[in-house]
C-alpha cells in the first residue's frame, strides 16, 4: 500500500527540503498521530522543525474533549497566522493545517471561522495528507473529514528510524482507536469513530522497528485499550493480555505500559499478565469519573462504584506493588454535594498515586449537555479545588513512601545538572541520578535519597546493564 503515498507525492511534484512543524494538543493518541503524520510527509522531503516561523507547513493536531481545549485552537491559529503573513512578505508560502478531533468535529466550520487555515484533515484521514496538501498548495481550501473505507494504518508510514531515534527511548503505539461506549459527557465516539483494533502483526512489526531504533519502553494506547480484539496471523481475535505477552518478547523492549483502560474491560488474562509479565509496569491508569452510583449511571459508564473497587482488588491481588491513577469529572449535571463526597471517599479508599480531574464541560451533540440540573460554574470550581487538594495529598504521600527505598529507573535523557541523567520509575515518577550519558536506555536500581516536588533524587545502587554498555 505504500505505493499509494508514493504515487500521490510524485504526481503532485512536491519539492524537496521543506519543513513541517506539528503541534499536538490533547491526549497521547495525538502525540502518536503527530509523529505518524511527520513520518508520512518525510518521503515528500519534509523534515520536522521545532520552529513554526521557519515551517512551510504548520499542523495543529487538536483536541475537542472540553470547551477550553477546543477554543485554544483558534487563538493558536491567530498566532500562526501572523507567522504566515510574515512568510508571505518574504515571498514564502506557509500552509496551515488543522488535524485531530476539532477538525473531525467542526470540519468546514474551521475554514469559515479562521480564513488563514488552508487544510482541515480529520483523525482518520492522515494517510491522505500528501494528496490533500498538494491540493491546498494550489490554493484550494481543503476539508477532508469523511471516515474512509480504507484502513489508515495500512497506508500511514511506519515510524522512520532516524526520526524515532530523535524522539527518545519511550514511545507510544496505537493498538486500538475509537470508542463504542458513549458515556453521556464524551465527544470521543464522534471524533474518533467506532472502536477498531489494529491487526497483531502490524503492531509487533511496529514495536520491533521502534526497538531497533533504540526505543526501550512502549506505551500501548487506545481510547479503550483493553477492549483490544485485533486479528492475529492465526486467524483468531487476540485479547489484550495475549498481545502484551507477545510484545514482552520483542528483543530490546524493557518496559510495557498501556492507557487508557476501561473498568468494564479488565479481563482475567490482562489481570494475570500483571502477575507474570515482568516488563508490564505495575502502574495502571483506570478512569472512574465519579464515586457516586447515581452519577455513574447518568454518565452511562455501565459500572458501579463497587465494580470499580472489585477490579482494583483483583489487580492488587495479582501485583501487590501496583499503583493506580484515574480521571475524575466534577459537576456533572445533577451532581449533589453528597454525590461529590462519594467521589472524595472513593479517592481516600483507593489511594491513587496520581489523578487528572476536570470540571464538567458540556459538549455539543452529547446527551449530558442537554440534561437539566447543570451545576453552577462556581460550584464546579470549588469541588475541583477540594478534589485536587485531596489528590495532591495522596500523591505526596505516595512519593514520600519511596524515601530510602530502591526503585528501578529507566534512564531517558540528560538531567538538570551536568553529569545527571533523568529517568522514569515504574510509576512514571521522574528520578534524577548521577550517571554517565552512555547509560541512557539502561534500567538501573536507584536508592531514593530525596523527595522533591516534581522529581525524586537518588543514587545508583545496582546497575548490571551499565557494566554491559561499558560505562
Ligand atoms: N477513554 C477514556 C477517557 C478519554 S477522555 C475513558 O474511558 O476513561 C479523557 C478524560 O477527559 C476522561 O476520562 C474524562 O475524565 C475527561 N472528560 C471527557 N469528557 C469530558 C467533559 N465533557 N467534561 C469534562 N471532562 C471530560
Ligand atoms: Fe469517552 Fe467513555 Fe469512550 Fe472513554 S469510554 S472515550 S470517556 S465515551
Ligand atoms: Fe482530545 Fe481527541 Fe484525545 S478529543 S483527548 S485529542 S481523542
Amino acid at each position: 500500500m505504500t505505493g499509494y503515498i508514493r504515487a500521490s507525492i510524485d504526481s503532485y511534484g512536491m519539492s524537496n527540503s521543506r519543513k513541517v512543524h506539528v503541534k499536538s494538543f490533547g491526549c497521547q493518541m495525538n502525540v502518536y498521530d503527530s509523529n505518524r503524520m511527520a513520518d508520512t510527509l518525510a518521503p515528500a522531503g519534509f523534515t520536522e522543525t521545532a520552529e513554526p516561523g521557519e515551517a512551510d507547513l504548520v499542523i495543529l493536531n487538536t483536541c475537542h474533549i472540553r470547551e477550553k481545549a477546543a477554543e485554544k485552537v483558534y487563538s493558536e491559529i491567530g498566532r500562526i497566522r501572523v507567522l504566515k503573513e510574515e512568510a508571505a512578505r518574504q515571498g514564502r508560502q506557509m500552509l496551515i493545517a488543522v488535524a485531530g478531533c476539532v477538525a473531525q468535529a467542526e470540519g468546514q466550520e474551521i475554514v469559515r471561522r479562521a480564513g488563514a487555515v488552508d487544510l482541515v484533515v480529520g483523525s482518520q484521514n492522515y494517510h491522505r495528507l500528501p494528496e490533500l496538501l498538494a491540493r491546498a498548495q494550489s490554493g484550494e481550501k481543503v476539508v477532508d473529514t469523511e471516515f474512509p473505507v480504507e484502513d489508515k494504518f495500512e497506508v500511514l508510514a511506519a515510524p522512520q528510524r532516524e526520526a524515532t531515534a530523535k524522539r527518545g527511548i519511550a514511545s507510544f503505539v496505537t493498538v486500538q482507536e475509537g470508542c463504542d461506549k458513549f458515556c453521556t459527557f464524551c465527544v470521543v465516539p464522534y471524533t474518533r469513530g467506532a472502536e477498531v483494533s489494529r491487526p497483531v502483526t502490524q503492531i509487533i512489526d511496529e514495536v520491533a522497528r521502534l526497538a531497533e531504533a533504540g526505543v526501550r519502553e512502549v506505551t500501548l494506547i487506545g481510547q479503550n485499550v483493553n477492549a483490544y480484539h485485533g486479528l492475529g496471523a492465526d486467524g483468531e481475535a487476540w485479547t489484550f493480555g495475549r498481545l502484551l505477552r507477545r510484545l514482552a518478547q520483542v528483543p530490546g523492549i524493557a518496559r510495557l505500559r498501556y492507557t487508557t483502560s476501561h473498568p468494564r474491560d479488565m479481563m482475567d488474562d490482562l489481570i494475570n499478565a500483571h502477575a507474570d509479565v515482568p516488563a508490564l509496569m505495575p502502574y495502571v491508569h483506570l478512569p472512574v469519573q465519579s464515586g457516586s452510583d447515581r452519577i455513574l449511571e447518568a454518565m452511562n459508564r455501565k459500572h458501579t462504584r463497587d465494580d470499580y473497587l472489585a477490579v482494583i482488588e483483583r489487580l492488587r491481588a495479582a501485583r501487590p506493588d501496583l499503583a493506580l491513577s484515574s480521571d475524575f469529572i466534577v459537576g456533572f449535571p445533577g451532581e449533589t454535594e453528597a454525590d461529590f463526597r462519594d467521589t472524595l471517599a472513593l479517592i481516600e479508599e483507593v489511594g491513587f498515586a496520581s489523578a487528572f480531574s476536570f470540571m464538567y464541560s458540556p459538549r455539543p451533540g452529547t446527551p449530558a449537555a442537554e440534561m437539566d440540573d447543570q451545576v453552577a460554574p462556581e460550584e464546579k470550581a470549588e469541588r475541583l479545588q477540594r478534589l485536587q487538594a485531596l489528590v495532591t495529598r495522596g500523591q505526596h504521600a505516595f512519593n514520600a513512601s519511596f524515601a530510602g527505598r530502591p526503585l528501578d529507573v529507566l534512564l531517558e535523557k540528560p538531567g538538570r545538572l551536568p553529569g545527571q541523567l533523568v529517568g522514569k520509575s515504574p510509576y512514571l515518577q521522574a528520578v534524577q541520578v548521577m550517571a554517565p550519558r552512555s547509560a541512557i536506555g539502561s534500567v538501573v536500581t536507584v536508592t531514593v535519597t530525596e523527595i522533591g516536588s516534581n522529581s525524586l533524587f537518588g543514587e545508583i545502587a545496582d546497575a548490571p546493564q551499565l557494566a554491559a554498555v561499558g560505562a
Side-chain angles (χ1 to χ4, degrees), residues 259 283-288 308 323-328 352-356:
T259 196
Y283 191 41
V284 175
H285 182 61
L286 194 62
V288 61
Y308 184 79
L324 291 134
S325 66
S326 196
D327 288 347
F328 296 93
F352 293 100
S354 174
F356 299 99

Side-chain angles (χ1 to χ4, degrees), residues 38-331:
D39 291 333
T40 295
L41 289 166
F46 277 96
T47 50
E48 280 179 85
T49 173
E51 280 302 320
E54 63 171 36
D56 302 286
L57 168 65
V58 174
I59 303 178
L60 302 176
N61 197 7
T62 61
C63 174
H64 199 247
I65 200 83
R66 285 167 292 274
E67 190 182 353
K68 242 191 211 153
E71 282 302 313
K72 206 189 284 177
V73 179
Y74 290 97
S75 52
E76 192 64 27
I77 294 170
R79 266 194 290 280
I80 305 293
R81 195 191 62 199
V82 177
L83 302 175
K84 179 178 175 151
E85 287 163 358
E86 177 59 33
R89 274 194 290 279
Q90 295 165 6
R92 203 159 57 77
Q93 185 186 37
M94 179 193 285
L95 295 179
I96 304 181
V98 176
C101 292
V102 178
Q104 192 63 56
E106 295 185 7
Q108 199 75 42
E109 177 63 24
I110 298 173
V111 269
R112 251 197 304 273
R113 200 172 146 185
V117 172
D118 302 286
L119 166 62
V120 176
V121 55
S123 57
Q124 303 309 317
N125 306 66
Y126 299 148
H127 55 295
R128 293 182 179 159
L129 258 179
E131 174 211 336
L132 301 174
L133 200 56
R135 279 166 50 198
Q137 218 178 331
S138 54
E140 185 189 342
K141 294 271 179 199
V142 182
V143 177
D144 186 4
T145 55
E146 295 296 310
F147 285 112
V149 283
E150 73 272 18
D151 174 5
K152 86 174 160 183
F153 288 111
E154 285 284 331
V155 191
L156 272 177
Q160 306 292 297
R161 193 188 170 90
E162 209 179 303
T164 300
K166 276 195 208 139
R167 289 171 192 152
I169 59 157
S171 189
F172 299 121
V173 172
T174 295
V175 301
Q176 173 281 336
E177 186 170 352
C179 182
D180 298 337
K181 293 207 164 53
F182 292 92
C183 299
T184 52
F185 52 81
C186 185
V187 291
V188 170
Y190 314 99
T191 65
R192 290 281 172 177
E195 201 177 287
V196 176
S197 296
R198 292 178 72 184
V200 172
T201 313
Q202 222 182 64
I203 297 167
I204 298 173
D205 289 352
E206 188 164 318
V207 170
R209 224 181 142 102
L210 290 169
E212 278 161 25
V215 168
R216 307 287 325 274
E217 172 176 306
V218 166
T219 303
L220 305 178
I221 58 173
Q223 273 82 36
N224 288 283
V225 77
N226 51 342
Y228 179 83
H229 58 273
L231 198 63
D234 54 5
E236 285 178 31
W238 282 36
T239 61
F240 189 56
R242 190 170 172 197
L243 180 70
L244 279 167
R245 283 171 201 275
R246 175 63 187 83
L247 294 177
Q249 294 165 8
V250 173
I253 294 301
R255 287 180 164 186
L256 289 171
R257 303 179 184 275
Y258 60 90
T259 196
T260 297
S261 44
H262 195 288
R264 268 166 65 200
D265 297 319
M266 272 291 166
M267 303 309 169
D268 282 340
D269 77 321
L270 173 54
I271 305 245
N272 294 339
H274 277 284
D276 46 45
V277 178
L280 184 55
M281 291 294 99
Y283 191 41
V284 175
H285 182 61
L286 194 62
V288 61
Q289 316 299 353
S290 169
S292 153
D293 281 341
R294 223 172 56 79
I295 297 298
L296 287 171
E297 168 132 38
M299 285 176 164
N300 193 33
R301 291 288 293 179
K302 296 209 175 85
H303 63 78
T304 61
R305 173 198 181 95
D306 282 350
D307 294 337
Y308 184 79
L309 292 172
V311 167
I312 288 182
E313 204 170 299
R314 284 159 66 216
L315 277 166
R316 284 181 168 156
R319 181 86 202 230
D321 62 347
L322 186 127
L324 291 134
S325 66
S326 196
D327 288 347
F328 296 93
I329 294 178
V330 299

